[in-house]
Amino acid sequence: MTVTTGIELELWVVDQDGCLCDGRQIADEHERIKPEFVGPLLEVQTEPCGSEAALRRDLQETLRTAIRAAHAGGNLLVPLGTPLTEADVACHDERGKLFEQIYGGGVKSAKNCAGTHVHFERGETVRQLNLLTALDPALALTSSSPYYCGQRGRSSSRAHAYRKQCGPEFRQFCDLWEYTDSVEEWQQRVDSAYEAFKSIAEDRGVSAATVEEYFEPENTVLNPVRLRRCQPTVEWRAPDAALPSEVVRLATDVAELVEQTEHKPVEVGRPGVFDDRIGVPEFDELYDLSRVAINFGLRPTPVQNYLRRMGFDSSAYRPLSLRLGGAGTLTETEACQLRLEQAHRFEADVAKLTAPHPPTANPVEEA
């Protein structure tokens, strides 16, 4: 990995009983630990790094600080795509409260989803945007929660809820966008979405002036791929929150592909990584494959075959969704126990984050 890469990992905060709790005080301990718009959710960030080793060291250092700060308050951190049962908590900042007013009932999905965001230094931007769009099915490699609001469903219940359960008028801000032909076209989509967001907001009692005060165009689109002008980076938001070792592995694997866009075109056609190009499927075919990956994870043969063609070794990953057994409906007591188990797994993973990679079993066979 030589392309500069940064990670933002969202984590749930729980108390010693596994109940969700307010963890905003943890953010006071490090400049790269940020509170999210609901109290039980934090984001841990890395600096942009040019190697996997540097990324591991940076993430481990910040996570160790977060763990110590959590322990000091009697709390633990949990790396799951959802909190398993419903997190019905109020937003604590003005921007979050505006989200509640604008999204209405659709804000429930945002309150119950935790993801991983990977930032890649901008280079051949159009190629990067289209490649990351085509890599959407790779979210199956780190799917971490089959439960959403207490119900067992999809392998990545977060991705489905975040993209589909925010309400039909908001899917344009949350679902996967089609490939683009130019940066200008992509930005036109963002600007158009921003105008639509302001129109929806006005219908729900929030003036355009208020939206412009609290939201920039690029911060109203929450899609799996985003173009960030302030960093400047291309941001990949498809994966769930997951164990840090899995997150770094995925970020590194994807960064190696992003690096190739500097000298290889990204072309719609036969999918795969070739000597002279990176092939990606037609968007409709890709969208269907992403749906299968969200619903069933790594199990379906088409998902496995596609990821292999795109250069991934699926056997190197052990998604938590495959390891979260349980009934079709979770009680709060069962959810608390599962959160505690994953909190302890998380701390063990952080401790080993800079150790040599251990051999891993095939996750599909293991489950």
Side-chain angles (χ1 to χ4, degrees):
M1 180 177 78
T2 57
V3 62
T4 300
T5 303
I7 289 172
E8 297 169 349
L9 173 61
E10 294 178 338
L11 299 164
W12 301 103
V13 185
V14 300
D15 62 21
Q16 293 294 324
D17 295 321
C19 299
L20 295 171
C21 63
D22 192 336
R24 282 176 286 173
Q25 74 283 353
I26 298 171
D28 297 336
E29 301 303 314
H30 200 291
E31 62 181 3
R32 284 187 276 114
I33 303 174
K34 306 293 185 181
E36 284 290 340
F37 74 114
V38 290
L41 195 58
L42 296 174
E43 181 179 87
V44 175
Q45 306 171 347
T46 72
E47 294 285 0
C49 297
S51 71
E52 180 181 0
L55 196 58
R56 286 177 176 273
R57 287 194 301 269
D58 194 334
L59 184 58
Q60 184 185 59
E61 183 270 328
T62 310
L63 288 174
R64 281 176 167 168
T65 299
I67 289 169
R68 286 194 298 269
H71 286 180
N75 299 326
L76 299 164
L77 302 175
V78 181
L80 293 176
T82 74
L84 305 177
T85 50
E86 184 176 353
D88 185 16
V89 292
C91 297
H92 56 71
D93 62 12
E94 189 60 33
R95 189 167 177 268
K97 292 173 183 177
L98 288 171
F99 256 124
E100 282 186 309
Q101 185 174 350
I102 296 166
Y103 270 71
V107 80
K108 174 181 174 180
S109 61
K111 289 182 177 182
N112 284 274
C113 293
T116 294
H117 311 152
V118 188
H119 289 261
F120 301 101
E121 179 184 8
R122 282 179 61 175
E124 291 286 343
T125 304
V126 173
R127 294 177 181 179
Q128 290 175 328
L129 288 168
N130 291 338
L131 172 66
L132 292 175
T133 298
L135 295 183
D136 197 62
L139 63 83
L141 295 166
T142 56
S143 293
S144 62
S145 176
Y147 287 98
Y148 178 71
C149 293
Q151 298 299 311
R152 189 177 186 93
R154 294 157 178 85
S155 178
S156 175
S157 60
R158 176 205 63 86
H160 175 77
Y162 201 77
R163 299 179 189 194
K164 305 297 185 185
Q165 296 189 336
C166 53
E169 66 269 56
F170 295 103
R171 287 181 186 171
Q172 62 181 306
F173 310 111
C174 301
D175 207 353
L176 189 66
W177 280 1
E178 294 195 26
Y179 304 127
T180 188
D181 292 325
S182 67
V183 172
E184 291 73 24
E185 181 194 23
W186 187 274
Q187 192 55 53
Q188 286 172 7
R189 295 182 194 176
V190 174
D191 292 339
S192 176
Y194 188 51
E195 292 306 312
F197 186 80
K198 288 194 287 186
S199 178
I200 294 170
E202 194 153 24
D203 288 343
R204 301 192 175 193
V206 179
S207 69
T210 300
V211 171
E212 290 169 0
E213 179 180 357
Y214 286 95
F215 301 94
E216 296 179 2
E218 68 177 43
N219 291 329
T220 55
V221 290
L222 307 172
N223 312 82
V225 180
R226 290 205 298 182
L227 184 60
R228 306 303 301 269
R229 288 187 287 186
C230 55
Q231 263 95 353
T233 62
V234 179
E235 181 185 8
W236 190 49
R237 300 165 51 87
D240 290 354
L243 291 172
S245 61
E246 301 278 85
V247 166
V248 174
R249 189 190 303 273
L250 182 58
T252 301
D253 284 350
V254 173
E256 290 174 356
L257 289 169
V258 171
E259 178 71 20
Q260 294 184 50
T261 63
E262 291 300 304
H263 58 275
K264 292 181 183 180
V266 176
E267 298 178 350
V268 176
R270 183 161 66 97
V273 181
F274 305 101
D275 290 342
D276 61 343
R277 70 192 186 283
I278 300 175
V280 300
E282 296 282 350
F283 182 77
D284 288 347
E285 179 185 346
L286 169 71
Y287 195 86
D288 286 343
L289 193 61
S290 285
R291 177 181 52 80
V292 174
I294 290 169
N295 288 346
F296 305 107
L298 293 175
R299 292 186 183 279
T301 299
V303 174
Q304 294 183 47
N305 289 343
Y306 180 72
L307 294 178
R308 183 175 64 252
R309 292 190 192 105
M310 300 307 292
F312 295 96
D313 177 8
S314 296
S315 68
Y317 292 85
R318 300 180 65 207
L320 285 175
S321 273
L322 289 174
R323 296 187 268 174
L324 287 185
T329 301
L330 279 185
T331 66
E332 187 62 32
T333 298
E334 291 167 335
C336 288
Q337 182 58 40
L338 283 173
R339 291 184 200 123
L340 291 176
E341 290 172 4
Q342 302 317 310
H344 295 309
R345 178 174 273 160
F346 168 75
E347 293 187 12
D349 190 81
V350 171
K352 298 184 296 183
L353 193 54
T354 54
H357 297 178
T360 54
N362 187 310
V364 178
E365 293 176 355
E366 181 183 86

